[in-house]
Every structure is written in structure tokens, then in C-alpha cells.
Amino acid sequence: MNERAALRILQVIPTLDAGGAERTTIEVAQAITREGGCAIVATKGGRMEVDLAQAGGVVAHLPVHSKNPGVILMNAGRIQRQAARANVKLIHVRSRAPAWSAMWAARALKLPFVTTYHGIYIAKGPIKRAFNAVMARGDMVIAPSDFARAHVLREHPWVKPDRVVTIPRGVDLESFDPGAIAPDRIASLRRAWGLSTDDERTIVLVPARLSPIKGHHTVIEAAAKIEAVQPGRAVFILAGDSQGRNDYVAQLDTAIAACGVRDVVRRVGHVRDMPAALAAAAVGVFPSLVPESFGRAAVEAQAMGMAVIAADLGGQSETIMNEKTGILFPAGDANALAAALERVLAMGVEARRALGESAMAHARSRYSTAALQDATLGVYRRLLGANA
């Protein structure tokens, strides 16, 4: 019997369109297949299916994105049948609604059940708390940061601490390496963003899906303040998918027009080549309004040697060393963000480079895809035993 034969893992995630949880799913699938195992992902699917295939994973298309109670119940049977057909040895889920289905399936098959607590779920009542609690019911619970781990134990006090392990999300240090970015990749993105070769404005990149929790309005207000005192100094690129939030996109466009910064703030949609996007910019801004469990994008920016400005919340407060590897500001405070931007813009190229080098050393010493993969496989083997 192959000593890796037991490493047959079914991961469950609603979609594979974009996001940190989705990227982590693919990275873990890559690690499983590299070890000779079988990596299956139950999901509605999405644009990142091609990345999963390149990582050696297999998609099982199931409607696990649905929050309909009837569909959730039916998905338990679907996941159970999929796991049985593929001789799956462990189920790992990364979102609340499909977690109920996956947990019932795992229990029925007597399989180990792992959850990753990707979000900082806040319950406003007993019903929502009970719904959220499924993410703490894994045989092992993975938290992406110490902040997230503390939240799990505080929100679900019945969970034994030794069942909750911190595994930070990783960064692909080969891809997010400024020395690996060819100039033509940067030039291509600049053209796509409508920036001519003689446009010397400092590029401020805001890489985040277009969601109200991501703080884009704070950036727009801060951009207007910068433009008022230093006209033509910077251009702000909002790089992210709306994921169907058309009303929010309309609100952003209205705010951009109202602040008079149509030529200063640009929405460019989903950017597939994020390493090149980070290389094209001088400053990265991460203005979340709610605590994030980790905040991978800010770590990727640090790994690329960028000057980073981020809201002082959640995992970002843990991964960014204030005044050493970046600048933290009070979430939602446009005046504070503008002040931080003014400081960074006034630094000059050499001072910004020094800040970026400190950020790069910090990120590369603590956060890597390899570390995430090794630690996650370690959790699987702990539950599966010696033959995994």
C-alpha cells in the first residue's frame, strides 16, 4: 500500500472566483497532489478552476454556494455520495453554509472533519451564533491568524483550545518577487489602466473585491484630499471584482464623481496578474472597515517590497508592523488615511524603498505558501494517523 494512499482530501468552498480562501484551497490542493494524494474540491466553480487544474486538483461541481436550507440539506447527501465514490479520507470546509452539509456528510461516513475559520463571524443573536458555530465544530479548526484564533475561542467558549490551530495564509514567494516581474507585464497593466508612458503620477493600488466592507469610500475621500493639496501627485487604482454588487459599484461611481476625482480614482475590475499590479504601483492601501482574519493582499504587497498603508484592524494589525513594515490608520478615517498617504508620498523614492525592503524581509520570513501547505498537511496527518 502506498504510504500516501490515505491522503485523499475533499475540500468544500462555495465558489472559485476570487479571494484568499479560494487561493488557499488551490494551494492546499497543490500540496496534496505533490504528495501523491488526491485533491477534490466541491464547489459551484468559477474562473479559478483553471488554477485548480494546474495544481493537480479536481472539481466536483455541487451547489454548495446556496444558503437555501433545503439545498443545504440536500448537499449533505451530495457531498456524502461524492466522498464515498472518491474514497475520500477527510473533508475540509471553508465556509458556513456548506459546512453544515459537509459536517453531516463527514459524520455519516465517520470521516475526520476540518474547518478553516476564514472570516471573523459576528453573531447578533442566538440563531446567527448557532449558524456560525459550525465553523468551530471541526475535529480540528484552522485559524488564519492568532487574532482569528482568539476570536474563535472567545465566540465559542465550548471549543477546546487544543483543537484550534493557527496557520497563517501563505504567499507564493516565487510569484510575488519584484525581480521576477518582466517590464512588459507592468506596461501591459498600465495600458489597461489608461496610464500613458509619460504619466508620472505615483500609483496607489487598492487591491480588494468591490464590497462595502473593504473601505473604498474612505480611499475616495482621501484621494480627494490629496488632490486638493497636491494636484496631479497620485492616481488611485481600485482593482477588484464586483462579484455582482452592481448597487455598490454605482455608489462608488457616484462618490468618485461627487468628489471630483474621476481622473484620479479608477476602477479597473478584476486583475489576474496581481504580482505585476503590485510591481506597477508604489503604494498599496488596504482600508477594510471590518476585521479580517488575515488579510493576504497586504502580506503579498509587503513581500513585493511596497509601501503599505492599512486599517488597524484584525489580522492586518498582526501582519503589519506599524511604522516598521507599513503604516496603520484608524479604520474608516479618511483624514488619517490622507495624512498617511501624504507622509508616504513625501518620503521620496529611496525612503519608500527602505520601508519596502523592511516589509519584504518581514513578510518573507513569516508567511510563505510552503509553510501554509506543510502545516495544513500536518493537520490532515494528525487526524488520519500514521499512514497519511
Side-chain angles (χ1 to χ4, degrees), residues 3-204:
E3 64 176 351
R4 299 302 186 199
L7 203 62
R8 302 182 65 84
I9 310 299
L10 174 64
Q11 296 184 82
V12 184
I13 191 164
T15 67
L16 279 177
D17 278 321
E22 291 80 358
R23 176 55 55 190
T24 301
T25 300
I26 292 168
E27 290 166 349
V28 170
Q30 180 187 54
I32 293 166
T33 56
R34 192 165 56 212
E35 292 292 306
C38 177
I40 304 169
V41 178
T43 179
K44 177 189 176 184
R47 66 164 68 93
M48 295 174 75
E49 287 185 45
V50 64
D51 300 313
L52 178 64
Q54 290 172 352
V58 178
V59 171
H61 288 108
L62 296 176
V64 292
H65 64 290
S66 177
K67 296 182 180 178
N68 180 292
V71 177
I72 290 173
L73 184 61
M74 293 179 67
N75 280 340
R78 293 179 177 119
I79 293 172
Q80 182 177 339
R81 289 189 292 274
Q82 176 64 47
R85 281 196 302 268
N87 195 25
V88 163
K89 302 301 182 184
L90 180 149
I91 297 177
H92 182 175
V93 69
R94 301 177 183 276
S95 184
R96 288 168 293 178
W100 286 101
S101 310
M103 182 180 68
W104 293 329
R107 300 298 185 241
L109 294 169
K110 295 181 170 54
L111 297 179
F113 177 58
V114 176
T115 62
T116 293
Y117 211 99
H118 279 288
I120 302 301
Y121 310 121
I122 304 298
K124 296 181 180 179
I127 295 176
K128 192 62 174 289
R129 179 167 284 106
F131 178 70
N132 294 346
V134 68
M135 298 306 294
R137 295 187 183 278
D139 299 310
M140 289 293 294
V141 179
I142 296 173
S145 63
D146 289 335
F147 170 81
R149 182 178 186 275
H151 173 80
V152 172
L153 296 175
R154 183 174 57 251
E155 190 75 4
H156 312 289
W158 43 268
V159 177
K160 293 180 179 180
D162 63 355
R163 283 176 42 218
V164 187
V165 60
T166 299
I167 301 179
R169 288 179 184 168
V171 174
D172 181 347
L173 298 179
E174 291 186 5
S175 296
F176 288 90
D177 176 0
I181 311 301
D184 63 313
R185 290 166 62 186
I186 297 173
S188 176
L189 276 176
R190 285 182 61 95
R191 288 193 297 271
W193 296 344
L195 299 176
S196 63
T197 55
D198 59 353
D199 192 329
E200 297 182 351
R201 289 179 295 178
T202 300
I203 297 177
V204 179

